[in-house]
Amino acid sequence: MAKKVAASLLSADFSELGKAVRVLNESESDWIHVDVMDGVFVPNISFGQPVVKYIKKYAKKPLDVHLMIIDPDRYFEDFKKVGADIITVHYEVCNHLHRTLFHIKDLGLKAGVVLNPHTPVCLLKDILCLCDVVCLMSVNPGFGGQKFIENTYHKIKELKSMIEEQGLDTLIEVDGGVNTENASLLYEAGADVLVAGSAVFASENPMKTIEELKK
């Protein structure tokens, strides 16, 4: 499967968000990753629907909307209206994950589940067939620029085995601490999509960094 990069706007300069989106449009980034935080599920507040609507106005790449919020089901229609193409929700906040994933799919969007570092991948065995994407957090969610958690490699391999055993084409996404030094190891372990924020926007040449991540 082709290597994909989802560049995260969480690490962009918010005062020049439109400029950052235009850079990603011209880059080799496959998706634009948008982190939505509520200050409750994670200790930070970021984008909401009005900002996502603004991003969509300029974006030429699919919006990969990562909902780090409690009770995400309340907002699926809203995020579809403002331009989400992919919505991922945290396993840890969904009491009825089967229904939640169907809700997203019924809106015509790609649906995914996110696992925090402490959550084992085996919990997805009976729901994996509904997942277009499974995102493995390789840091504790809430802030950019954190150190990569090494156990993620084991989780990727375990999840890849589960996907292959069920004959699925579910994509494995990795989010947190991704950079040009560990990208090749993540792809080798079985990752399909790498979310990169700090590595991209803290670099002197974001477009070149994205190109290097895909190599």
Side-chain angles (χ1 to χ4, degrees):
M1 197 171 290
K3 302 171 184 176
K4 294 182 183 293
V5 170
S8 173
L9 290 173
L10 185 64
S11 299
D13 183 344
F14 286 8
S15 68
E16 296 187 334
L17 200 54
K19 179 180 178 181
V21 174
R22 292 187 185 96
V23 168
L24 298 184
N25 286 340
E26 300 302 319
S27 75
E28 292 188 26
S29 181
D30 299 274
W31 301 344
I32 295 176
H33 191 80
V34 183
D35 289 303
V36 177
M37 306 177 184
D38 62 2
V40 180
F41 177 61
V42 294
N44 197 7
I45 297 173
S46 62
F47 306 113
Q49 296 97 314
V51 178
V52 175
K53 183 178 181 179
Y54 173 85
I55 293 168
K56 186 67 174 182
K57 179 179 178 181
Y58 295 98
K60 296 180 182 178
K61 306 288 179 74
L63 295 191
D64 175 27
V65 177
H66 176 186
L67 298 183
M68 291 185 246
I69 62 177
I70 62 171
D71 200 9
D73 298 70
R74 294 172 54 192
Y75 302 101
F76 296 153
E77 285 84 357
D78 291 340
F79 280 105
K80 178 184 179 178
K81 288 177 183 176
V82 297
D85 297 286
I86 305 159
I87 291 181
T88 55
V89 296
H90 274 261
Y91 176 92
E92 298 81 9
V93 298
C94 294
N95 293 326
H96 304 284
L97 188 55
H98 186 276
R99 183 168 63 197
T100 293
L101 292 173
F102 266 112
H103 187 178
I104 298 171
K105 287 177 171 291
D106 284 345
L107 293 172
L109 306 176
K110 298 290 186 182
V113 178
V114 188
L115 299 183
N116 278 343
H118 71 278
T119 305
V121 299
C122 62
L123 295 175
L124 297 181
K125 180 181 178 181
D126 295 326
I127 203 74
L128 198 55
C129 60
L130 296 179
C131 299
D132 296 298
V133 182
V134 173
C135 179
L136 300 178
M137 293 301 303
S138 40
V139 299
N140 287 295
F143 296 95
Q146 297 184 64
K147 185 178 179 181
F148 180 85
I149 296 173
E150 295 292 322
N151 187 54
T152 306
Y153 294 114
H154 172 73
K155 292 181 74 173
I156 295 170
K157 292 175 182 177
E158 185 179 355
L159 178 58
K160 193 70 170 183
S161 178
M162 289 171 57
I163 291 169
E164 291 176 346
E165 285 177 5
Q166 296 189 33
L168 305 173
D169 56 5
T170 304
L171 298 178
I172 299 176
E173 185 175 36
V174 179
D175 184 358
V178 172
N179 55 47
T180 54
E181 295 179 3
N182 60 20
S184 61
L185 294 174
L186 292 167
Y187 286 129
E188 288 172 11
D192 303 295
V193 186
L194 302 186
V195 177
S198 298
V200 171
F201 288 104
S203 68
E204 293 183 1
N205 189 333
M207 292 179 68
K208 184 177 180 181
T209 299
I210 291 170
E211 182 181 344
E212 291 175 355
L213 286 168
K214 295 195 72 168
K215 288 181 180 177

Coordinates of all heavy atoms in Angstrom, one line a residue, residues 134-181:
V134 N -7.5 3.1 11.4 CA -7.2 3.0 12.8 C -6.0 3.9 13.1 O -4.9 3.7 12.5 CB -7.0 1.6 13.3 CG1 -6.5 1.6 14.8 CG2 -8.2 0.8 13.1
C135 N -6.1 4.9 14.0 CA -5.0 5.8 14.3 C -4.5 5.4 15.7 O -5.2 5.3 16.7 CB -5.5 7.2 14.3 SG -4.2 8.4 14.8
L136 N -3.2 5.1 15.7 CA -2.5 4.7 16.9 C -1.8 6.0 17.4 O -0.9 6.5 16.8 CB -1.5 3.6 16.7 CG -2.1 2.3 16.2 CD1 -1.0 1.3 16.0 CD2 -3.1 1.7 17.2
M137 N -2.1 6.4 18.6 CA -1.4 7.6 19.2 C -0.1 7.1 19.7 O 0.0 6.1 20.5 CB -2.3 8.2 20.3 CG -3.5 8.9 19.9 SD -3.3 10.2 18.7 CE -2.2 11.3 19.6
S138 N 1.0 7.7 19.3 CA 2.3 7.4 19.7 C 2.9 8.4 20.7 O 4.0 8.4 21.0 CB 3.2 7.2 18.5 OG 3.0 8.2 17.5
V139 N 2.0 9.3 21.2 CA 2.2 10.2 22.3 C 0.9 10.3 23.0 O -0.2 9.8 22.5 CB 2.6 11.6 21.9 CG1 4.0 11.6 21.1 CG2 1.6 12.3 21.1
N140 N 0.9 10.8 24.3 CA -0.4 11.0 24.9 C -1.0 12.3 24.3 O -0.4 13.3 24.2 CB -0.2 11.2 26.4 CG 0.1 9.9 27.1 OD1 -0.7 9.0 27.1 ND2 1.3 9.8 27.6
P141 N -2.3 12.2 23.8 CA -2.9 13.3 23.0 C -3.1 14.6 23.8 O -3.3 14.6 25.0 CB -4.2 12.7 22.6 CG -4.5 11.7 23.6 CD -3.2 11.1 24.1
G142 N -3.0 15.7 23.1 CA -3.3 17.0 23.7 C -2.3 18.1 23.3 O -2.7 19.2 23.1
F143 N -1.1 17.7 23.0 CA -0.1 18.7 22.7 C 0.9 18.2 21.6 O 1.2 17.0 21.6 CB 0.8 19.1 23.9 CG 0.0 19.8 25.0 CD1 -0.6 19.0 26.0 CD2 -0.3 21.1 24.9 CE1 -1.3 19.6 27.0 CE2 -1.1 21.8 25.9 CZ -1.6 21.0 26.9
G144 N 1.3 19.0 20.7 CA 2.3 18.7 19.7 C 3.7 18.7 20.3 O 4.0 19.2 21.4
G145 N 4.7 18.1 19.6 CA 6.1 18.1 20.0 C 6.5 17.2 21.0 O 7.6 17.3 21.6
Q146 N 5.7 16.1 21.3 CA 6.0 15.2 22.4 C 7.0 14.1 21.8 O 7.0 13.8 20.6 CB 4.8 14.6 23.0 CG 3.8 15.5 23.7 CD 2.7 14.8 24.3 OE1 2.9 14.0 25.2 NE2 1.5 15.0 23.8
K147 N 7.6 13.4 22.8 CA 8.5 12.3 22.4 C 7.8 11.1 22.0 O 6.8 10.7 22.7 CB 9.5 12.0 23.6 CG 10.5 11.0 23.3 CD 11.4 10.7 24.5 CE 12.5 9.7 24.2 NZ 13.4 9.4 25.3
F148 N 8.2 10.4 21.0 CA 7.6 9.2 20.5 C 7.7 8.0 21.5 O 8.7 7.8 22.1 CB 8.3 8.8 19.2 CG 7.8 7.6 18.5 CD1 6.7 7.6 17.6 CD2 8.4 6.3 18.7 CE1 6.2 6.5 17.0 CE2 7.9 5.2 18.1 CZ 6.9 5.3 17.2
I149 N 6.6 7.3 21.6 CA 6.5 6.1 22.5 C 6.9 4.9 21.7 O 6.2 4.5 20.8 CB 5.1 6.0 23.2 CG1 4.8 7.2 24.1 CG2 5.0 4.7 24.0 CD1 3.4 7.2 24.6
E150 N 8.0 4.3 22.1 CA 8.6 3.2 21.3 C 7.7 1.9 21.2 O 7.8 1.2 20.2 CB 9.9 2.8 22.0 CG 11.0 3.9 21.9 CD 11.5 4.2 20.5 OE1 11.6 3.2 19.7 OE2 11.7 5.3 20.2
N151 N 6.8 1.7 22.2 CA 6.0 0.5 22.1 C 5.0 0.6 20.9 O 4.4 -0.4 20.6 CB 5.2 0.4 23.4 CG 4.4 -0.9 23.5 OD1 4.9 -2.0 23.3 ND2 3.1 -0.8 23.7
T152 N 4.9 1.7 20.3 CA 4.0 1.9 19.1 C 4.4 0.9 18.0 O 3.5 0.4 17.3 CB 4.1 3.3 18.6 OG1 3.8 4.2 19.7 CG2 3.1 3.5 17.5
Y153 N 5.7 0.6 17.9 CA 6.1 -0.3 16.8 C 5.4 -1.7 17.0 O 4.9 -2.3 16.0 CB 7.6 -0.5 16.8 CG 8.3 0.7 16.4 CD1 9.2 1.4 17.3 CD2 8.2 1.3 15.1 CE1 9.9 2.5 17.0 CE2 9.0 2.4 14.8 CZ 9.8 3.0 15.7 OH 10.5 4.2 15.3
H154 N 5.4 -2.1 18.2 CA 4.7 -3.4 18.5 C 3.2 -3.4 18.2 O 2.7 -4.3 17.7 CB 5.0 -3.8 20.0 CG 4.2 -5.0 20.5 ND1 4.6 -6.3 20.1 CD2 3.1 -5.1 21.2 CE1 3.7 -7.1 20.6 NE2 2.8 -6.5 21.3
K155 N 2.6 -2.3 18.6 CA 1.2 -2.1 18.4 C 0.8 -2.1 16.9 O -0.2 -2.7 16.4 CB 0.6 -0.9 19.1 CG 0.7 -0.9 20.6 CD 0.1 0.3 21.2 CE -1.4 0.4 21.1 NZ -1.9 1.6 21.9
I156 N 1.7 -1.5 16.1 CA 1.5 -1.4 14.6 C 1.5 -2.8 14.1 O 0.6 -3.2 13.3 CB 2.6 -0.6 14.0 CG1 2.4 0.9 14.4 CG2 2.4 -0.7 12.4 CD1 3.6 1.8 13.9
K157 N 2.5 -3.6 14.5 CA 2.7 -5.0 13.9 C 1.5 -5.8 14.4 O 1.0 -6.6 13.5 CB 4.0 -5.6 14.5 CG 5.2 -4.9 13.9 CD 6.5 -5.4 14.5 CE 7.7 -4.7 14.0 NZ 9.0 -5.2 14.6
E158 N 1.1 -5.7 15.6 CA -0.1 -6.5 16.1 C -1.4 -6.1 15.3 O -2.1 -7.0 14.9 CB -0.3 -6.3 17.6 CG -1.4 -7.1 18.2 CD -1.5 -6.9 19.7 OE1 -0.7 -6.1 20.3 OE2 -2.5 -7.5 20.2
L159 N -1.6 -4.8 15.1 CA -2.7 -4.4 14.4 C -2.7 -4.8 12.9 O -3.7 -5.3 12.3 CB -2.9 -2.9 14.5 CG -4.0 -2.2 13.7 CD1 -5.4 -2.8 14.2 CD2 -4.0 -0.7 13.9
K160 N -1.5 -4.7 12.3 CA -1.4 -5.2 10.9 C -1.7 -6.6 10.8 O -2.4 -7.0 9.8 CB 0.1 -4.9 10.5 CG 0.3 -5.0 9.0 CD -0.4 -3.8 8.3 CE 0.0 -3.8 6.8 NZ -0.6 -2.6 6.1
S161 N -1.3 -7.4 11.7 CA -1.6 -8.9 11.7 C -3.1 -9.1 11.8 O -3.7 -9.9 11.0 CB -0.9 -9.6 12.8 OG -1.2 -10.9 12.9
M162 N -3.8 -8.3 12.6 CA -5.3 -8.5 12.8 C -6.0 -8.1 11.5 O -6.9 -8.8 11.0 CB -5.8 -7.5 13.9 CG -5.4 -8.0 15.3 SD -5.8 -6.7 16.6 CE -7.5 -6.5 16.3
I163 N -5.5 -7.0 10.8 CA -6.1 -6.6 9.6 C -5.9 -7.6 8.5 O -6.9 -7.9 7.7 CB -5.4 -5.2 9.1 CG1 -5.9 -4.1 10.1 CG2 -5.8 -4.9 7.7 CD1 -5.1 -2.8 9.9
E164 N -4.7 -8.2 8.4 CA -4.4 -9.2 7.4 C -5.2 -10.5 7.6 O -5.7 -11.1 6.7 CB -2.9 -9.5 7.3 CG -2.1 -8.3 6.8 CD -0.6 -8.5 6.8 OE1 -0.2 -9.5 7.5 OE2 0.1 -7.8 6.2
E165 N -5.4 -10.9 8.9 CA -6.1 -12.1 9.2 C -7.6 -11.9 8.8 O -8.2 -12.9 8.4 CB -6.0 -12.3 10.7 CG -4.7 -12.9 11.2 CD -4.6 -13.0 12.7 OE1 -5.7 -12.8 13.4 OE2 -3.6 -13.4 13.2
Q166 N -8.1 -10.7 8.9 CA -9.5 -10.5 8.5 C -9.7 -10.1 7.1 O -10.8 -9.9 6.6 CB -10.1 -9.4 9.4 CG -10.2 -9.8 10.9 CD -11.0 -8.9 11.7 OE1 -12.0 -8.3 11.3 NE2 -10.7 -8.7 13.0
G167 N -8.6 -10.0 6.3 CA -8.7 -9.7 4.9 C -9.2 -8.3 4.6 O -9.9 -8.1 3.6
L168 N -8.8 -7.3 5.5 CA -9.3 -6.0 5.3 C -8.3 -5.1 4.7 O -7.1 -5.4 4.6 CB -9.7 -5.4 6.7 CG -10.7 -6.3 7.5 CD1 -10.8 -5.7 9.0 CD2 -12.0 -6.3 6.9
D169 N -8.8 -3.9 4.3 CA -7.9 -2.9 3.7 C -7.8 -1.6 4.6 O -7.5 -0.5 4.2 CB -8.3 -2.5 2.3 CG -9.7 -2.0 2.2 OD1 -10.4 -1.9 3.2 OD2 -10.2 -1.7 1.1
T170 N -8.1 -1.8 5.9 CA -8.0 -0.7 6.9 C -6.6 -0.1 6.9 O -5.6 -0.9 6.9 CB -8.4 -1.3 8.3 OG1 -9.7 -1.9 8.2 CG2 -8.4 -0.2 9.3
L171 N -6.6 1.2 6.9 CA -5.3 1.9 7.0 C -4.9 2.1 8.4 O -5.7 2.4 9.3 CB -5.4 3.3 6.3 CG -5.8 3.3 4.8 CD1 -5.9 4.7 4.3 CD2 -4.7 2.6 4.0
I172 N -3.6 1.9 8.7 CA -3.0 2.2 10.0 C -2.3 3.6 9.9 O -1.4 3.8 9.2 CB -2.0 1.1 10.4 CG1 -2.6 -0.3 10.5 CG2 -1.3 1.5 11.7 CD1 -1.6 -1.4 10.7
E173 N -2.8 4.4 10.8 CA -2.3 5.8 10.9 C -1.6 5.9 12.2 O -2.0 5.4 13.2 CB -3.5 6.8 10.8 CG -3.1 8.3 10.8 CD -4.3 9.1 10.6 OE1 -5.4 8.8 11.2 OE2 -4.2 10.2 10.0
V174 N -0.5 6.6 12.2 CA 0.3 6.8 13.5 C 0.5 8.3 13.7 O 0.8 9.1 12.8 CB 1.7 6.2 13.4 CG1 2.5 6.4 14.6 CG2 1.6 4.7 13.1
D175 N 0.1 8.7 14.9 CA 0.1 10.2 15.3 C 0.8 10.5 16.5 O 0.5 10.0 17.6 CB -1.4 10.6 15.4 CG -1.6 12.1 15.7 OD1 -0.6 12.8 15.7 OD2 -2.7 12.5 15.8
G176 N 1.9 11.3 16.4 CA 2.7 11.7 17.6 C 4.1 11.4 17.5 O 4.5 10.2 17.4
G177 N 5.0 12.4 17.5 CA 6.4 12.2 17.5 C 7.0 11.6 16.3 O 8.1 11.1 16.2
V178 N 6.2 11.7 15.2 CA 6.7 11.2 13.9 C 7.7 12.2 13.3 O 7.4 13.4 13.3 CB 5.5 11.0 12.9 CG1 6.0 10.7 11.5 CG2 4.6 9.9 13.4
N179 N 8.8 11.7 12.7 CA 9.8 12.6 12.1 C 10.5 11.8 11.0 O 10.2 10.6 10.8 CB 10.7 13.2 13.1 CG 11.4 12.1 14.0 OD1 11.9 11.1 13.4 ND2 11.4 12.3 15.3
T180 N 11.5 12.5 10.4 CA 12.2 11.9 9.3 C 13.1 10.8 9.7 O 13.6 9.9 9.0 CB 13.0 12.9 8.5 OG1 13.9 13.6 9.4 CG2 12.1 13.9 7.8
E181 N 13.4 10.7 11.0 CA 14.3 9.7 11.6 C 13.5 8.3 11.8 O 14.1 7.3 11.7 CB 14.9 10.1 12.9 CG 15.9 11.3 12.7 CD 16.5 11.8 14.0 OE1 16.2 11.1 15.0 OE2 17.2 12.8 14.0

